[in-house]
Structure formats: C-alpha cells, structure tokens
Amino acid sequence: RRYGLWFRLRKLILWLLGVYIAIPFLVKLCPAIQAKLVFLNFVRVPYFIDLKRPQDQGLNHTCNYYLQPEEDVTIGVWHTVPAALWKNARGKDQLWFEEALGSSHPVILYLHGNAGTRGGDHRVELYKVLSSLGYHVVTFDYRGWGDSIGSPSERGMTYDALHVFDWIKARSGDNPVYIWGHSLGTGVATNLVRRLCERETPPDALILESPFTNIREEARSHPFSIYRYFPGFDWFFLDPITTSGIKFANDENVKYISCSLLILHAEDDPVVPFHLGKKLYNIAATSRSFRDYKVQFVPFHTDLGYRHKYIYRSPELPRILR
C-alpha cells in the first residue's frame, strides 16, 4: 500500500514537472498566449453586470455611450458628471450629457488597467470620488474588453484613447482635460499623451497610478511570476511579448511629454512593484521635456494598505489633486 501511494505521488510530481517545463516552450511557440496574459481582457469581473446600466452600480448620474473609433470597432463609454450636476442628470439622455461636458467643470479621461471592465468595483469607487471633487469622468473599455467590439492590441488601445480624447475636446470647450491611467492603463496613457504632445495638443495634466517603466520590466518584476528564475526567462517569456508588438514603454514616452505629471504609487503594491514607479519618476524628473512643468511623485505608506487599486480611499487625494 505504501509503495502504491509513493508510486502515485511520484507520477504526479513528474507530471507537474513536465507541465512546468512544457509551458515556456508553448508560450515561445504561441506568442499570442503571452499577449492574452498581458491584456487579460477575457477576465470579466464583476460578472453578470449590465454595462448598459451604470445605475446598477450606484452611478445614477452616469450615461452609457457607444463610440466607433474605426470601422468594425465599437467601444462602450461611461460619462459620470460632477456631483453638482447629479440631480439634473437623472433621466437625461446622451445629448444632455454631451452638452454637460461644456459646463465649467474639468474633465478626467480614465484609462483602466488589464482584466475586468469599466464597471469594476474599485474603478466605480474612483469615479464616485472624482465626481464628488467636481470632475466629469469619462471612461471606456478598450476594443476587446467588456462589451466593446474588436481585437485587443497596444496600437488599438492607444487609438481608442485618442478617439475618446478628441471626442471630449470637441465638446468640453476651454475646460481642462486631464488623463488618468492606472496600471496597464498607464502604458496607454503615456502612449496617448506622447502622441498629443507631438501634435501640439497636450492635455492639461497626466496622472499615473501604479505605473511601471515598460512591460518587459513589469513582467520580469511581477511578484506572481513563477518562472522569473527559469533558465532563458527573457527568451521564453519576454521576447514573445515584444514579438506581439507590446511595449508600453512609459520610460521612453515620458522623454517626449510636455505637461504636468503626477505619479501615485502604494509601497505595498503586489502587482506593479513600487520601485518601478519610483524609477519612472526619476526618469521623468530629469527629462528635458518636463523642464517647464511640475513633476510630482506621491508614495503611500505600506501601513495604509492601499496595495494596487485602493488609492482612491486616501483622504489626502483631494488635496493631492488640487
């Protein structure tokens, strides 16, 4: 009986070892797998919510739109108005919400990270906080996320963000427009703002929450990576990301950005290590493109427990944003 148990245990160990060794070769042969793991757009949480009904998430002052950045691409958009407009917003149609962007309130374009949708719990809580501080909040799901139609790619995500930014500017008049990116969304944000600065239409400020330097360093530093010490890790896992056209080079983009920059990062972030956000700040702070603009890094101590996605809970956030 002991021999039979040992035999089965050894068989299981050999099987797990075989799978562990086979996965790097599978990823190398199929780079699309690694791209899926970067985007995680197939992970839709929370489940069973109707993105057409933001009011189900407590956003009674929010309107759901659909925009078309390109042919065969449709993206779902939420527009939350400032708290001062909440009562007037109830029961209003899309035209009223679009015209409201021209009211005397600043606008934040929020670019979310991988996995989930624009209806994610921590994202909804941030919209509420920003709305209470007097901001319009416009957010959307990139192509391939949520109920948006299309295939995900870095180029496509950036183009979707550009389309929504231009849509906002066409309606917001002279009101300030800020861009806020979180996690993977910081890569989209710096791609977007670099492009806006190159065409001489920069936003009024860029806010990066839990940013990394570039996707290769983030993947190499990710605490959940069980293969980081695997021989040939870069060749097996990082090169396929590059082969898929995924760079999200925040460290390179900030050298071409000319607007105020605010970086927020929690020291206990388990997804994007704190040292990557600090490294990105050091690159930006010494960049010639920022010499006429304010660059600020705000850390949040481990004891606060904000981790990767709860900085919105900080009572200091209103002061920091002001």
Side-chain angles (χ1 to χ4, degrees):
R1 186 176 299 175
R2 289 180 181 177
Y3 176 79
L5 181 61
W6 166 245
F7 177 79
R8 288 194 294 271
L9 181 60
R10 187 175 64 176
K11 188 176 180 180
L12 176 62
I13 292 172
L14 289 174
W15 183 82
L16 291 174
L17 182 62
V19 171
Y20 179 78
I21 294 174
I23 286 177
F25 290 94
L26 183 62
V27 170
K28 185 66 179 179
L29 291 172
C30 304
I33 295 176
Q34 192 71 325
K36 283 285 187 181
L37 293 176
V38 171
F39 297 137
L40 290 178
N41 60 300
F42 56 90
V43 179
R44 179 170 173 169
V45 289
Y47 296 99
F48 311 119
I49 70 169
D50 185 354
L51 292 171
K52 296 183 179 67
R53 293 179 51 83
Q55 60 267 33
D56 292 348
Q57 309 308 308
L59 296 172
N60 294 321
H61 48 298
T62 298
C63 187
N64 180 67
Y65 309 146
Y66 290 97
L67 302 179
Q68 191 170 17
E70 295 180 306
E71 188 176 358
D72 300 326
V73 174
T74 303
I75 56 174
V77 182
W78 280 0
H79 171 199
T80 301
V81 297
L85 302 178
W86 284 10
K87 290 183 179 179
N88 293 335
R90 292 186 178 182
K92 296 298 194 301
D93 59 11
Q94 178 175 336
L95 180 60
W96 183 91
F97 275 81
E98 290 188 35
E99 291 176 346
L101 284 169
S103 63
S104 57
H105 296 275
V107 185
I108 289 181
L109 170 58
Y110 178 77
L111 306 173
H112 68 65
N114 66 356
T117 69
R118 62 191 184 274
D121 293 341
H122 66 283
R123 294 163 187 164
V124 168
E125 293 306 314
L126 178 63
Y127 311 155
K128 291 177 181 178
V129 169
L130 296 177
S131 174
S132 70
L133 296 177
Y135 297 97
H136 288 276
V137 182
V138 178
T139 187
F140 67 96
D141 281 318
Y142 317 104
R143 60 186 72 187
W145 272 259
D147 58 353
S148 296
I149 298 170
S151 299
S153 68
E154 181 175 354
R155 185 209 68 84
M157 295 165 73
T158 303
Y159 191 82
D160 293 345
L162 177 63
H163 181 81
V164 177
F165 177 85
D166 287 341
W167 180 87
I168 292 170
K169 290 296 289 183
R171 292 157 177 78
S172 61
D174 295 328
N175 295 327
V177 178
Y178 309 117
I179 294 174
W180 184 314
H182 173 242
S183 193
L184 189 67
T186 64
V188 182
T190 64
N191 281 348
L192 169 63
V193 177
R194 175 177 176 175
R195 185 164 178 175
L196 294 176
C197 290
E198 288 174 344
R199 76 176 194 185
E200 299 183 352
T201 58
D204 292 273
L206 171 62
I207 303 162
L208 301 178
E209 179 189 358
S210 306
F212 49 85
T213 47
N214 58 70
I215 199 64
R216 287 180 71 99
E217 285 199 3
E218 159 58 8
R220 186 182 294 114
S221 304
H222 200 293
F224 301 151
S225 175
I226 62 174
Y227 285 98
R228 75 176 75 175
Y229 302 114
F230 192 89
F233 175 79
D234 283 23
W235 188 77
F236 278 113
F237 291 96
L238 302 186
D239 290 351
I241 296 177
T242 306
T243 301
S244 299
I246 304 172
K247 296 180 179 179
F248 292 115
N250 289 336
D251 51 355
E252 186 65 23
N253 288 338
V254 294
K255 298 175 184 177
Y256 299 90
I257 288 174
S258 50
C259 68
S260 295
L261 172 65
L262 171 63
I263 296 178
L264 311 171
H265 213 135
E267 293 177 353
D268 59 338
D269 191 327
V271 178
V272 180
F274 177 78
H275 71 86
L276 291 185
K278 187 66 173 178
K279 182 177 179 180
L280 181 64
Y281 165 73
N282 291 333
I283 294 170
T286 57
S287 172
R288 293 177 58 189
S289 66
F290 283 106
R291 62 181 177 270
D292 297 324
Y293 300 94
K294 185 176 183 180
V295 179
Q296 186 175 4
F297 181 85
V298 179
F300 295 87
H301 195 272
T302 300
D303 292 345
L304 296 170
Y306 294 156
R307 297 172 67 79
H308 185 59
K309 55 187 181 183
Y310 301 113
I311 287 176
Y312 72 83
R313 295 176 177 173
S314 172
E316 294 297 309
L317 194 58
R319 179 191 61 78
I320 292 167
L321 293 181
R322 278 197 297 270

